[in-house]
Amino acid sequence: MCVSGSFRVSPGLKDSSFRDQSASVDVQPSALDKPDAAAFAWARFRRILGWMAVGTAIFIALAIWALEMAYGPLSWVAILAVIGGGGGSIMLGAVLMGLSFFSSGTGHDEAVERFDG
């Protein structure tokens, strides 16, 4: 390795035969570059998260009710634990799955496959 200043430079980077591989890739615009498609995709993402939030709220209410039936009145710490633990986990999963559907639906996954190919 060659030393240039305080950084080590790989000899391949100084090689005149080295070419930028990304220059040969035909980059096509993403669906999110179009304002109408982006608005539709983000609206669909928000709609999915809205329905998941409704489902999560119903789950939390049922979980708190079931715990109160089993153990009696719950302290505010237990209620916050159910909300944070159950609700937080469900919503985190919903956001991550929603983003994976969002990425696939807008063509981002295909753009990565073009770079890998």
Side-chain angles (χ1 to χ4, degrees):
M1 291 204 145
C2 303
V3 177
S4 172
S6 62
F7 297 103
R8 291 184 176 206
V9 179
S10 173
L13 295 178
K14 290 185 174 184
D15 187 6
S16 62
S17 65
F18 177 78
R19 66 180 179 90
D20 186 13
Q21 295 177 356
S22 64
S24 65
V25 176
D26 182 29
V27 179
Q28 297 176 354
S30 167
L32 292 179
D33 293 336
K34 301 172 189 165
D36 293 338
F40 174 77
W42 282 112
R44 184 177 63 176
F45 177 71
R46 282 192 215 76
R47 188 172 56 245
I48 290 170
L49 285 187
W51 281 111
M52 285 303 297
V54 169
T56 300
I58 293 170
F59 167 78
I60 294 299
L62 289 174
I64 291 172
W65 175 79
L67 288 171
E68 283 187 352
M69 292 296 111
Y71 298 109
L74 298 175
S75 69
W76 63 273
V77 175
I79 293 172
L80 288 178
V82 171
I83 293 171
S89 297
I90 293 171
M91 287 307 295
L92 177 63
V95 167
L96 293 175
M97 287 302 294
L99 286 174
S100 68
F101 292 141
F102 179 78
S103 173
S104 175
T106 56
H108 279 74
D109 293 347
E110 290 79 15
V112 171
E113 289 174 5
R114 283 193 297 269
F115 280 112
D116 287 343

